[in-house]
């Protein structure tokens, strides 16, 4: 029957999901460098939907607008160490906001070259708020859908990266004139893969087996020995235990979201890449500002890719 044949021959719907993790996004860029070489074209041409949280949101939006991985890496190399070296929450926030304005200008969510999702969390309602570029991904109110709620990409990305108390919370104004206070998307989905799959299957009405999902983490590392001193100097007036708890919360969230994904959508072909490292020399955290260490993370990302190269080749080429 024609419908059955069409279903069999339907091309796969490819999803790229990028975790949050601050400076550790260098690891993600190492994997993406290899993926871009594998598919021999810009990353946005290899995926139908790119989702990102926090640092993953920065990478996702830059790739979705057409930037090469090398371009994103140069941006990270030039700015991440400087932003993470700011010794106050307010100065770090201003540096991030200034960079977002410089990189994105006044661009909106209607200008991306592929599907996009940017995960944030509503501080007041304690619910996720996800900025999307396509009506197809909306679960409700499709007739009044506005890409990104009318918020600029710069504001949405900054909100997704507002890891309070490392950064100040971000207030955005929607097309409807609503002011909404947002924080880092890692509070609800530091690993956004489950959200991306749900959008494709539930809202987009895709067959689960039709999907091909590539989920990239930032790796897991020992905590730096001087973590207490770094965090106390980096975030004035914030107790050390609060910072330690935040980092642990994001890490637990990442693992729990992946476990839920594997239970709820076990039939969805998924490659998850995020290796754990135990060597003392690999100690780092989301505030890392040492460019030598960050480039080691990038190298480790490329090595992690190699372990999954065969299945990625099947998924993407």
């Amino acid at each position: 029957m024609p419908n059955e044949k069409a279903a069999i021959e339907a091309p796969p719907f490819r999803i790229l999901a990028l975790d949050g993790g601050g400076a550790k996004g260098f690891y993600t860029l190492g994997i993406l460098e290899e993926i871009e070489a594998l598919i021999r074209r810009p990353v946005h041409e290899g995926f139908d939907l790119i989702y990102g949280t926090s640092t993953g949101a920065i990478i996702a939006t830059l790739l979705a607008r057409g930037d090469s991985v090398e371009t994103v890496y140069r941006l990270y190399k030039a700015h991440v160490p400087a932003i993470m070296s700011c010794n106050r929450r307010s100065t770090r926030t201003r540096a991030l906001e200034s960079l977002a304005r410089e990189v994105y200008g006044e661009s909106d969510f209607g200008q991306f070259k592929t599907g996009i999702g940017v995960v944030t969390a509503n501080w007041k309602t304690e619910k996720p708020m996800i900025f999307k570029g396509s009506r197809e991904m909306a679960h409700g109110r499709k007739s009044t859908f506005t890409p990104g709620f009318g918020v600029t990409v710069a504001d949405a990305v900054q909100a997704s990266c507002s890891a309070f108390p490392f950064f100040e919370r971000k207030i955005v104004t929607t097309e409807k004139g609503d002011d909404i206070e947002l924080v880092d998307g890692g509070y609800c989905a530091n690993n956004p893969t489950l959200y991306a799959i749900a959008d494709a299957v539930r809202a987009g009405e895709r067959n689960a087996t039709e999907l091909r999902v590539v989920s990239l983490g930032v790796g897991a590392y020992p905590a730096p020995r001087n973590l207490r001193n770094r965090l106390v100097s980096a975030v004035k007036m914030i107790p050390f235990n609060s910072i330690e708890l935040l980092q642990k919360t994001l890490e637990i969230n990442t693992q729990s979201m992946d476990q839920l994904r594997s239970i709820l959508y076990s039939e969805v072909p998924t490659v998850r890449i995020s290796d754990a490292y135990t060597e003392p020399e690999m100690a780092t955290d989301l505030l890392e500002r040492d460019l030598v260490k960050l480039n080691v993370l990038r190298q480790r990302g490329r090595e992690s890719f190699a372990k999954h190269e065969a299945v990625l080749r099947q998924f993407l080429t």
Side-chain angles (χ1 to χ4, degrees), residues 66 150 176 223 282:
K176 304 295 185 183
M282 289 301 297

Side-chain angles (χ1 to χ4, degrees), residues 18 25-26 28-30 32-33 36 43-44 50 54-81 99 103-104 291 295 298:
L18 308 176
F26 274 77
T28 309
L29 290 173
L32 287 167
E33 180 181 353
E36 187 176 62
V43 172
H44 78 270
I50 304 179
S54 197
T55 194
I58 299 174
I59 299 171
T61 49
L62 294 175
L63 295 179
R65 77 176 188 180
D67 288 13
S68 67
V69 177
E70 176 63 25
T71 297
V72 182
Y73 167 65
R74 288 199 300 266
L75 181 74
Y76 266 56
K77 184 170 62 172
H79 296 283
V80 168
L99 178 61
V103 170
Y104 299 104
L291 190 55
N295 275 319
R298 180 167 166 251

